Amino acid sequence: MSLLSFKLRPAPVRLRRLRSQADEAQDVGFTASSKRALRAASQISTRQSLAKQGLRIGRTPVGKGLFATKRIVDGACIGEIHGLVIDDDEYVSRYAFDLDDGRQLEPEAPFRYVNHSCEPNCAFQNFSFAPLPASPKRPEAAPRRKLLLFSICDIAVGQELTIDYNWPAIFAIPCDCRSAGCRGWIVTPKDLAQLLDVALAVPGRGLGVSP
């Protein structure tokens, strides 16, 4: 199917009705019902997009997670991570990714819900692409950067997509990934020994962000 024919395909009846309600409500201001219509339309659009990618958002013992609805082969590019770029050294978030230039990316759904595993089946890779041609609006063309999610093994239908968070020891929390090789903590492997030394030296002390 061509991209053009996909764009022109009519939306399902329920989605068209919700969008119509939301558009009409904008003419008289955003009421509670119009906000609900907008939110519902957005959720349906998100589910349709996920279905085309072979993904779904579901519940896990630690909250929301991302699952495969079709088989994903080893080395496949699953998608690009979009979100808000944060330029603040003091910004702390369990979801944010460190970029090469020192900034952070606060990801949007669905990849916001990729959980940690000590034996992950996915990994994020940061790529730089050649800059677009310069233009009056963009006289100094900078390299284009993209954060992409790849599979690092075959992923079966129904399996949750996971990555290794690799947090430094100062941010470590107990891990509940339940993998055979679980380290017991969400922490980068190189900091695990340091973390365990601290835990043994101060019994019962919780580890996390320093006050």
Side-chain angles (χ1 to χ4, degrees), residues 137-194:
K137 293 183 178 180
R138 189 179 55 252
E140 297 181 2
R144 294 174 294 157
R145 294 182 176 178
K146 292 187 177 183
L147 188 62
L148 305 176
L149 180 67
F150 286 87
S151 59
I152 58 175
C153 64
D154 290 342
I155 302 174
V157 174
Q159 190 174 355
E160 184 182 2
L161 277 61
T162 57
I163 61 171
D164 191 333
Y165 282 6
N166 280 311
W167 286 349
I170 192 173
F171 295 120
I173 61 174
C175 180
D176 192 29
C177 73
R178 305 179 185 181
S179 66
C182 180
R183 298 189 289 269
W185 296 88
I186 300 181
V187 66
T188 181
K190 68 182 181 64
D191 285 357
L192 181 59
Q194 172 192 347

Side-chain angles (χ1 to χ4, degrees), residues 67-81:
F67 295 83
T69 60
K70 66 180 181 181
R71 180 174 176 268
I72 301 174
V73 299
D74 184 9
C77 179
I78 299 171
E80 179 182 358
I81 291 75

Side-chain angles (χ1 to χ4, degrees), residues 43-57:
Q43 290 172 348
I44 293 176
S45 296
T46 298
R47 287 197 296 269
Q48 292 173 342
S49 176
L50 286 174
K52 293 181 184 299
Q53 292 178 275
L55 304 171
R56 71 173 178 85
I57 297 172

